[in-house]
Amino acid sequence: MKIVLIGSGNVSTAFAHLFESLGHDILQVYSRSLDQAERLAAKLGTSATSSLTDINKTANLYVVAVTDNAIEQVIEELPQSLKGIVVHTSGATSMDVLTKFPLCGVIYPIQSISKDSDLRSKETPIGIEGNNEIATALLLEIGKSLSKKSFYCDSKQRLALHVAAVFSNNFTNALYQVAFDILKANNLSFDLLKPIIAETAEKVQHHIPKEVQTGPAKRNDQKTIDRHLDFLSGKPNWETIYQELTRLIRNKDT
């Protein structure tokens, strides 16, 4: 398959290595920064451009892998005459932004992708959506080649996945940093928490999270909660987070 990558950041790079490993022909890399496009293109042995009007028009698949804020502008500037399938990779953006193309859709990896991410294990779930039966069938076929965990989901389901991923990944990581800061301020190593973090992550592989919830909020241990809040009194933001999560666990707001 002939592919054009529109974007040169983490997601585009991860997909580039995945497509390359499967023997696809990456014709071109686009980025607003020609230098960045050329760096990724050099790794792939292909051409680069910083002009959307110069996009190669012979590809079978155009992968728009840019930030959510940039998607609509990039789509607007892409030539409408593209014959291949045009997809974006966003979890929070509707497929409707692509309606100017006769064949379009979404390839959404449910993964936190950084420069070191590797999608080649075929273990990353990938959500697929197409604007018609032809596009959906073609994208599902592509999806199955990319991951054994590819599946169909519509735009609403994909948004739900993205929101859930923010809760389970981004917010959790932010809370890890709070824990890190608390320990550092008290001359303790964050390494001390790594076993309990690993244990919790392992539990949710086999149980509904609510079933394995522990801690003072779950036990309604108000004395301990009050001691914790007193400890956090100098950090009002952390205190608020503690109170809100305690309410959540106690099911007062759900």
Side-chain angles (χ1 to χ4, degrees):
M1 178 176 289
K2 297 178 180 179
I3 299 170
V4 168
L5 295 172
I6 301 171
S8 60
N10 294 342
V11 176
S12 184
T13 300
F15 269 112
H17 295 314
L18 178 57
F19 285 130
E20 185 180 46
S21 72
L22 294 171
H24 295 298
D25 185 9
I26 300 175
L27 301 180
Q28 189 180 49
V29 176
Y30 160 84
S31 174
R32 286 179 297 180
S33 166
L34 183 58
D35 182 58
Q36 290 182 13
E38 287 177 337
R39 281 204 296 269
L40 179 54
K43 294 177 182 178
L44 301 170
T46 191
S47 65
T49 183
S50 59
S51 171
L52 287 169
T53 58
D54 292 334
I55 285 292
N56 188 309
K57 297 180 177 61
T58 66
N60 308 112
L61 177 67
Y62 296 84
V63 181
V64 180
V66 297
T67 64
D68 285 11
N69 290 336
I71 289 177
E72 291 193 39
Q73 182 179 348
V74 167
I75 298 301
E76 184 178 339
E77 295 179 22
L78 273 173
Q80 191 171 359
S81 58
L82 297 178
K83 303 299 182 185
I85 305 177
V86 182
V87 302
H88 69 64
T89 61
S90 169
T93 304
S94 171
M95 183 178 62
D96 293 344
V97 299
L98 298 164
T99 52
K100 79 178 197 180
F101 303 108
L103 291 175
C104 62
V106 180
I107 300 177
Y108 168 51
I110 298 90
Q111 182 60 271
S112 178
I113 297 179
S114 64
K115 291 181 180 179
D116 300 323
S117 296
D118 190 345
L119 300 178
R120 288 173 289 186
S121 71
K122 293 198 172 188
E123 291 294 328
T124 298
I126 296 180
I128 299 294
E129 184 179 15
N131 69 320
N132 57 37
E133 290 184 3
I134 295 174
T136 299
L138 289 171
L139 290 175
L140 282 172
E141 184 177 351
I142 293 170
K144 288 177 182 177
S145 74
L146 302 179
S147 170
K148 63 184 180 183
K149 295 182 178 180
S150 64
F151 63 100
Y152 176 83
C153 67
D154 61 28
S155 290
K156 183 178 179 181
Q157 290 174 315
R158 189 171 63 256
L159 180 59
L161 271 169
H162 195 262
V163 172
V166 168
F167 271 98
S168 62
N169 180 46
N170 305 136
F171 290 169
T172 301
N173 192 67
L175 293 176
Y176 289 157
Q177 185 60 48
V178 173
F180 179 95
D181 293 340
I182 289 171
L183 292 174
K184 184 178 180 181
N186 289 274
N187 298 314
L188 292 165
S189 171
F190 184 69
D191 288 348
L192 296 169
L193 291 184
K194 290 181 179 178
I196 196 171
I197 290 171
E199 181 185 6
T200 302
E202 176 62 24
K203 284 179 179 177
V204 299
Q205 306 301 315
H206 310 288
H207 302 277
I208 296 172
K210 187 175 181 179
E211 294 176 349
V212 292
Q213 183 68 55
T214 61
K218 177 67 174 178
R219 300 191 303 269
N220 287 312
D221 182 353
Q222 191 60 48
K223 286 186 178 181
T224 297
I225 291 169
D226 289 341
R227 291 190 189 100
H228 289 176
L229 290 172
D230 182 61
F231 177 88
L232 295 170
S233 60
K235 295 285 188 178
N237 288 340
W238 294 355
E239 188 178 2
T240 298
I241 291 169
Y242 186 102
Q243 289 171 324
E244 291 301 319
L245 290 176
T246 295
R247 290 191 190 100
L248 179 65
I249 293 169
R250 285 175 159 177
N251 292 320
K252 288 187 176 179
D253 297 328
T254 57

